[in-house]
């Protein structure tokens, strides 16, 4: 069998069969229903990582042993194959384990599909895709990554994003300082003054962001990520149909952190434990609803064709690299570097350094320096 198909020396990434993924502990009844609907085994994950497979034969054996439908689905701990495995290696593994299908995983050990003998023989082409994709909007385009590979604009654009965001923060801070100097003489409660100053900073930052093209690229980033994760074709017509709001957007995290810090430091509640409890409850309850509203109306806007094209280019490049390099192991440092956070921090530090040079050269009042 293997000798007759020795021509299958290419990698198995283009021969994948889509598979449903469930968490470990999924009940027997639900697993049986999903296998019946799809006609394929289920891939089981624990914390996102592949741990085994549930097959029709596993369901039958469990039922024969008298298992209840509410019991955990039986799990066959079969090995997985990397996307870099060849067709010959896949056929050899399928034969060795006497199984009709094996899981295929990426460099993060996350399942991306199944491989079967018929898929290899028929040369069915199914583009491998990462299950979870993150990204950033920059002034020059869209950046996408899954922690193993990336696509879109390069590191220079990410550094420029850090510079832009820090500059926006400086402008918002200056405006809040100006408002603070105006309300300081007024006979208002200190809590009201503090709230007004903080609100000025937040609204100024969001207002500046709203008028920048960055919001269009932000929307294109979200829409492309949705298309990839939903298995949609990465073409402009399909990406255009995707929603602009994404549940993993950093806007949600920023809202949660802001709510928690605002409530945890408020003077309206005197009891410290009650204050922290209220901050935690309110933040956990509202971070996503408020974050979604901000995404829809402030931090994203309907992207232009040019911005959508940038998202599509980034998505296609990510998938191309994922198919060829996605199974390559990555160190923790490489994963952090691919996240883009180091680039954002570098851009922020560059603006901060320029600001300090300005303080040293220009006659800026000492009272202003304390805010920066």
């Amino acid at each position: 069998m293997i000798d007759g198909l020795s021509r299958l020396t290419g990698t198995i990434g283009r021969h994948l069969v889509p598979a449903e993924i469930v968490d470990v502990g999924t009940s027997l009844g639900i697993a049986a229903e999903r296998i019946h609907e799809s006609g394929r085994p289920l891939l089981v994950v624990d914390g996102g990582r592949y741990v085994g497979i549930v097959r029709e034969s596993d369901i039958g054996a469990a039922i024969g042993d008298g298992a209840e439908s509410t019991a955990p689905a039986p799990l066959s701990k079969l090995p997985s194959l990397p996307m870099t495995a060849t067709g010959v290696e896949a056929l050899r593994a399928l034969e060795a384990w006497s199984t009709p299908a094996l899981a295929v995983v990426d460099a993060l050990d996350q399942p991306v599909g199944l491989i079967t003998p018929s898929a290899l023989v028929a040369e069915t082409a199914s583009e491998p895709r990462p299950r979870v994709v993150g990204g950033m909007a920059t002034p020059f385009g869209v950046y996408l990554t899954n922690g193993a590979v990336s696509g879109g604009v390069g590191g220079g654009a990410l550094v420029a994003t850090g510079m832009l965001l820090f500059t926006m923060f400086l402008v918002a801070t200056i405006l809040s300082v100006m408002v603070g100097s105006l309300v300081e003489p007024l006979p208002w409660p200190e809590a009201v003054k503090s709230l007004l100053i903080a609100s000025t900073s937040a609204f100024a930052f969001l207002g500046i962001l709203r008028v920048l093209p960055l919001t269009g690229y932000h929307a294109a980033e979200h829409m492309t990520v949705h298309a990839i994760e939903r298995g949609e074709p990465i073409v402009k017509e399909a990406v255009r149909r995707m929603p602009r709001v994404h549940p993993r957007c950093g806007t949600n995290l920023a809202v949660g952190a802001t709510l928690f810090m605002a409530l945890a430091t408020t003077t309206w509640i005197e009891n410290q434990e009650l204050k922290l409890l209220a901050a935690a409850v309110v933040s956990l309850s509202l971070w996503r609803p408020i974050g979604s509203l901000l995404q829809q109306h402030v931090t994203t806007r309907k992207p232009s064709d040019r911005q959508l094209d940038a998202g599509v280019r980034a998505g296609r490049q990510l998938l191309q690299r994922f198919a060829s390099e996605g199974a390559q192991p990555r160190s923790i440092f490489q994963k952090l570097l691919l996240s883009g956070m180091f680039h954002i921090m570098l851009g922020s530090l560059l603006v901060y350094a320029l600001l300090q040079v300005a303080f040293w050269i220009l006659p800026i009042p000492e009272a202003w320096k304390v805010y920066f």
Side-chain angles (χ1 to χ4, degrees), residues 249-271:
C249 178
T251 302
N252 294 357
L253 297 177
V255 167
T258 302
L259 285 174
F260 184 84
M261 292 302 298
L263 292 172
T265 57
T266 183
T267 57
W268 296 349
I269 303 176
E270 295 184 0
N271 185 285

Side-chain angles (χ1 to χ4, degrees), residues 31-192:
E33 181 180 344
R34 294 185 179 178
I35 290 176
H36 176 71
E37 290 174 352
S38 67
R40 301 189 186 101
L42 302 177
L43 300 182
V44 184
V45 296
D46 186 2
R49 294 179 175 271
Y50 171 77
V51 293
I53 191 169
V54 180
R55 302 167 299 181
E56 193 83 56
S57 58
D58 300 319
I59 298 292
I63 294 173
D65 291 338
E68 297 288 339
S69 62
T70 54
L75 183 66
S76 290
K77 296 189 176 180
L78 295 177
S80 61
L81 292 169
M83 290 193 302
T84 51
T86 65
V88 172
E89 291 170 339
L91 286 172
R92 186 174 292 123
L94 288 164
E95 190 174 51
W97 287 92
S98 300
T99 182
L102 282 175
V104 179
V105 298
D106 61 16
L108 303 178
D109 206 27
Q110 297 175 336
V112 293
L114 289 165
I115 194 68
T116 65
S118 60
L120 288 167
V121 174
E123 298 189 356
T124 350
S126 178
E127 184 180 47
R129 296 192 177 201
R131 291 182 59 215
V132 177
V133 178
M136 290 187 187
T138 81
F140 305 104
V142 173
Y143 174 79
L144 298 176
T145 181
N146 76 317
V149 293
S150 64
V153 294
L158 294 174
V159 173
T161 304
M163 297 178 70
L164 174 62
L165 292 175
F166 194 79
T167 301
M168 291 163 55
F169 165 76
L170 290 178
V171 173
T173 301
I174 291 171
L175 291 174
S176 68
V177 171
M178 294 172 64
V179 170
S181 64
L182 292 175
V183 301
E184 183 60 33
L186 299 177
W188 295 353
E190 288 301 319
V192 174

Side-chain angles (χ1 to χ4, degrees), residues 218-341:
H218 193 191
E221 173 222 329
H222 283 187
M223 294 160 78
T224 306
V225 169
H226 274 300
I228 292 173
E229 294 179 342
R230 294 181 181 188
E232 294 283 350
I234 309 305
V235 296
K236 192 158 63 175
E237 293 74 17
V239 172
R240 198 192 303 275
R241 298 195 304 267
M242 298 296 108
R244 300 204 316 260
V245 175
H246 198 285
R248 295 196 307 275
C249 178
T251 302
N252 294 357
L253 297 177
V255 167
T258 302
L259 285 174
F260 184 84
M261 292 302 298
L263 292 172
T265 57
T266 183
T267 57
W268 296 349
I269 303 176
E270 295 184 0
N271 185 285
Q272 187 63 27
E273 293 182 357
L274 181 60
K275 186 188 300 185
L276 292 176
L277 178 61
V281 171
V282 172
S283 302
L284 290 173
S285 302
L286 299 179
W287 69 295
R288 274 192 170 164
I290 295 178
S292 295
L293 284 173
L294 280 177
Q295 288 182 62
Q296 185 68 39
H297 301 291
V298 181
T299 65
T300 72
R301 67 167 63 187
K302 184 179 179 180
S304 65
D305 284 345
R306 180 179 178 181
Q307 291 164 338
L308 270 180
D309 286 336
V312 168
R313 282 196 302 273
R316 288 178 176 173
Q317 191 174 64
L318 175 73
L319 294 182
Q320 288 169 0
R321 291 177 176 174
F322 183 71
S324 59
E325 308 170 31
Q328 300 291 335
R330 298 288 188 268
S331 65
I332 295 296
F333 176 76
Q334 287 174 316
K335 293 175 184 177
L336 290 173
L337 190 62
L338 282 169
S339 74
M341 293 309 301

